[in-house]
Amino acid sequence: MEVIRTEGLTKIYKSGLRKIRALAGIDLLVGQGEIFGFLGPNAAGKTTTIKILMHLTFPSSGKAWILGSEAGSAAVKQKTGYLPEHPAFYPNLTGIELLSFYGRLFGLGARKNRERIHELLSLVGLRDAAKLAVGSYSKGMLQRIGMAQSLINDPEVVILDEPLAGVDPVGRKSLRDLILRLKKMGKSVFFSTHILQDVELICDRVAILIKGGIVSVGRLDQILAEEIESIEITAKNVSSDAVKAIGEIALNVIGSSDKCMIVVKDEETLEKIQAILGLHGGKIASIIPRAKTLEEHFIEKIRE
Amino acid sequence: MGIVAIALNTFREGAKDKIFYAIVVFAIIIMGSSRFIATLSVGQIDKITKDLGLATISLLGLLIAIFVGTKLVYEEISRRTIYTIISKPVTRSQFILGKYFGLLLIIGMTLTILTVFFSLVVYLNSNTLDAHLLKAIGLAFFELALITSVAIFFSTFTSPISSALFTMGIWVAGHFSGDLKGLGQISDSSLSRGVSTFLYYLVPNLSNFDIRGEVVHGVGIPHTFFLFSVCYGLIYSAAVILIATLIFRKRDF
């Protein structure tokens, strides 16, 4: 079952006489129980997409649905949690007062509200700071209280805009663990980021957004499998004739006839190597395809 | 539920604002000093105390309505605190209404504190409490409710400075709306007459709420006039807030 779906989502901003296309027909599908990474450089349109999902901004064309209903309806908002980028909260309220306010917006009764606040403050590790004014919180604490407010209604879908940006490594680990915990609780998580490591560590599927358009989408291993850069072959007992013949078609040959590493660019060349070894002597010990890293794939897409 | 939560939160945020306390203390000082100012004139202590007290309450309420009201929505957008509210099951209309009622709570609390102190000053001067003073303060509250709605209306689409200027302009025009109509009537041009009549009905007639002169000089206020003014204030405020919500519903953040 899909929890988030967009069709042809487009957003054009007008600045005087100029028109700026922030989104160019985004089609997205996020499945139930997934951690979905929405990856892109700055100004790619990630925040614009999320703001449309959360009804903060209206699309120029196209539609978005969350949990089968049109994004922005009260029923959808009741089941959705949201953390904006660089979250801002009322500085004079304490952590408890802030969460209590958000709980009341969901119509939580006083008792249920208190229970949820207690659970969430423990979950995000802010029990000791609960009675301090939010204005005195550090960046990491603000992200954590932000996560707490996004979960106050025990949502089915959690949408996070750059939740790990600007947080120290320890804080990022704890927020990543929290996101994984949300998945174990059966929630679906959609988060935007430009930090590739976080995507590699926790995402089930990824979409890469560049200049308002999606350039790649799918499971990370599938996206990178399409991008085989080279194949490394380890061969043993290779005759000198074989080495000479291989050297003419391989990208690189390293080592001696006892054991050498051969690098070729594709499977077609691999088959030729296998034929040469069969003809002149030699045995293949291992074949390892070398895929691009996510970083290489990402940078290549940006350059395109 | 959303309106109540937002209103109470707005009240709590405003009540913690130091400017609010400064305004209340300033008002108390002015009212307290009215007793000394009044001794400069012979036999007019009572009138001067009441006049100065009512003027102080109206003016300081106006300052809160304009300077807090014009920032109320604008700051929520510029600070982006609105993101975590509108993304909850709260409509944009509920947000505007919550902010409006929250500010009315702040103004109401301010007027209540000042009224208590003012009544004490009047009692010390005359050993009596004048119930008509409460009518004047009551109408001042409805005038402030109307001005607050105008301030929030401008706040939905323009900066605090522009909102404050426009709102102040409406307040001035509202107190001279009778003159607007008169100006049109003496004009030879039918266009001028039409424009001035249109503006007369468009701009709120704030003289409906100003009974300070009558109260100070002990002139009675008919109940019908009081009720008319209250209804006028409620209907005008509701219309302005409705237009504000219609503008706000289409706004991108």
Side-chain angles (χ1 to χ4, degrees):
Chain A
M1 180 199 149
E2 70 212 22
V3 295
I4 296 174
R5 182 162 67 96
T6 69
E7 281 180 7
L9 214 55
T10 303
K11 180 65 182 178
I12 297 170
Y13 287 106
K14 288 175 192 164
S15 175
L17 292 173
R18 281 179 61 208
K19 287 183 182 178
I20 300 163
R21 180 146 52 180
L23 293 180
I26 303 289
D27 295 321
L28 260 182
L29 263 178
V30 178
Q32 207 263 325
E34 279 190 317
I35 298 177
F36 192 99
F38 199 41
L39 186 58
N42 294 334
K46 306 186 297 293
T47 295
T48 301
T49 305
I50 287 177
K51 281 161 74 174
I52 290 173
L53 289 174
M54 299 316 304
H55 211 54
L56 295 169
T57 295
F58 301 98
S60 304
S61 63
K63 285 199 165 185
W65 295 266
I66 299 178
L67 296 167
S69 300
E70 212 164 308
S73 68
V76 157
K77 287 181 183 180
Q78 197 69 36
K79 299 178 195 171
T80 309
Y82 168 59
L83 174 64
E85 187 181 7
H86 306 305
F89 305 111
Y90 299 111
N92 295 328
L93 298 185
T94 64
I96 291 176
E97 286 171 342
L98 189 75
L99 293 179
S100 176
F101 167 60
Y102 290 123
R104 286 201 303 278
L105 293 183
F106 280 106
L108 296 185
R111 189 175 163 186
K112 176 74 183 169
N113 210 5
R114 268 198 308 275
E115 285 171 8
R116 282 299 289 159
I117 291 169
H118 182 76
E119 278 171 39
L120 289 169
L121 287 172
S122 297
L123 184 68
V124 301
L126 278 177
R127 284 189 68 183
D128 293 340
K131 291 182 181 174
L132 296 177
V134 169
S136 66
Y137 282 11
S138 66
K139 168 75 179 170
M141 291 163 80
L142 282 174
Q143 290 294 113
R144 283 188 277 156
I145 198 76
M147 284 295 288
Q149 65 80 36
S150 75
L151 301 172
I152 192 82
N153 56 323
D154 195 17
E156 292 177 36
V157 181
V158 186
I159 297 176
L160 311 169
D161 195 352
E162 303 270 7
L164 304 163
V167 182
D168 65 37
V170 172
R172 283 180 40 205
K173 167 85 171 59
S174 97
L175 284 171
R176 283 197 304 264
D177 288 343
L178 178 56
I179 293 172
L180 288 168
R181 199 162 154 184
L182 293 177
K183 181 183 170 174
K184 277 191 187 150
M185 290 160 69
K187 301 184 191 307
S188 310
V189 179
F190 177 89
F191 79 94
S192 74
T193 183
H194 59 271
I195 304 172
L196 306 179
Q197 184 197 22
D198 297 325
V199 167
E200 286 174 321
L201 284 170
I202 61 175
C203 288
D204 298 309
R205 289 200 309 136
V206 166
I208 298 178
L209 186 73
I210 292 173
K211 289 184 184 171
I214 290 184
V215 298
S216 298
V217 63
R219 290 182 59 87
L220 209 52
D221 52 359
Q222 285 170 350
I223 290 173
L224 297 178
E226 292 165 12
E227 302 281 341
I228 299 292
E229 253 201 339
S230 61
I231 302 172
E232 290 174 359
I233 308 157
T234 306
K236 292 178 181 176
N237 304 322
V238 183
S239 68
S240 53
D241 287 341
V243 169
K244 194 177 170 187
I246 288 167
E248 285 168 9
I249 60 171
L251 291 173
N252 201 2
V253 181
I254 304 165
S256 64
S257 56
D258 290 334
K259 188 177 180 184
C260 67
M261 192 176 75
I262 306 159
V263 181
V264 299
K265 71 171 190 239
D266 52 33
E267 286 186 10
E268 190 184 331
T269 317
L270 169 63
E271 286 170 9
K272 289 177 184 172
I273 301 290
Q274 285 171 322
I276 292 169
L277 289 172
L279 190 63
H280 295 287
K283 192 177 174 186
I284 291 179
S286 70
I287 299 173
I288 303 171
R290 189 178 168 271
K292 278 190 178 135
T293 62
L294 179 59
E295 182 178 308
E296 287 166 341
H297 176 78
F298 184 65
I299 290 170
E300 185 185 304
K301 289 296 176 187
I302 291 172
R303 285 186 181 147
E304 281 172 14
Chain B
M1 195 66 203
I3 296 174
V4 172
I6 292 169
L8 290 176
N9 192 59
T10 302
F11 174 74
R12 190 181 2 211
E13 277 283 297
K16 287 185 184 184
D17 195 336
K18 293 188 179 90
I19 291 175
F20 166 73
Y21 293 110
I23 287 175
V24 170
V25 166
F26 183 60
I28 288 173
I29 290 170
I30 290 178
M31 283 194 282
S33 62
S34 67
R35 195 169 157 77
F36 299 101
I37 294 168
T39 56
L40 295 172
S41 64
V42 179
Q44 301 287 331
I45 291 176
D46 194 39
K47 288 193 174 78
I48 289 175
T49 305
K50 286 179 182 176
D51 202 9
L52 192 57
L54 289 173
T56 301
I57 289 172
S58 291
L59 180 64
L60 290 167
L62 181 69
L63 287 178
I64 294 174
I66 292 180
F67 292 108
V68 179
T70 53
K71 288 190 317 179
L72 217 54
V73 174
Y74 182 86
E75 276 193 352
E76 291 269 10
I77 299 171
S78 65
R79 292 191 310 189
R80 299 190 298 181
T81 45
I82 199 171
Y83 284 18
T84 48
I85 299 174
I86 300 295
S87 56
K88 305 285 186 286
V90 171
T91 65
R92 289 163 183 235
S93 305
Q94 287 172 331
F95 176 78
I96 292 290
L97 283 170
K99 299 306 284 183
Y100 177 64
F101 288 128
L103 184 49
L104 286 190
L105 279 174
I106 293 171
I107 291 170
M109 184 179 80
T110 308
L111 260 56
T112 302
I113 294 170
L114 296 180
T115 301
V116 166
F117 189 78
F118 177 49
S119 302
L120 183 65
V121 171
V122 167
Y123 184 78
L124 285 173
N125 283 341
S126 59
N127 287 324
T128 57
L129 284 174
D130 186 351
H132 291 295
L133 290 176
L134 294 178
K135 272 189 183 172
I137 293 169
L139 283 184
F141 175 76
F142 284 100
E143 178 183 349
L144 292 172
L146 193 155
I147 290 297
T148 300
S149 70
V150 171
I152 286 182
F153 163 76
F154 286 120
S155 172
T156 59
F157 61 88
T158 189
S159 69
I161 294 175
S162 301
S163 298
L165 288 172
F166 291 143
T167 307
M168 186 66 87
I170 295 287
W171 183 83
V172 171
H175 277 285
F176 292 100
S177 65
D179 293 333
L180 256 177
K181 192 179 182 188
L183 210 64
Q185 281 170 348
I186 62 172
S187 168
D188 292 329
S189 160
S190 58
L191 177 67
S192 300
R193 280 200 297 276
V195 168
S196 64
T197 306
F198 172 73
L199 287 174
Y200 170 74
Y201 286 108
L202 179 70
V203 169
N205 188 351
L206 298 179
S207 58
N208 285 329
F209 305 99
D210 186 4
I211 56 171
R212 202 164 71 230
E214 289 85 344
V215 166
V216 165
H217 290 94
V219 176
I221 307 296
H223 292 307
T224 49
F225 176 83
F226 185 83
L227 279 171
F228 167 79
S229 300
V230 168
C231 289
Y232 178 83
L234 287 173
I235 292 169
Y236 200 102
S237 303
V240 173
I241 287 292
L242 175 65
I243 297 169
T245 58
L246 290 174
I247 293 171
F248 200 64
R249 275 161 90 179
K250 296 294 174 193
R251 191 150 171 186
D252 276 347
F253 300 125

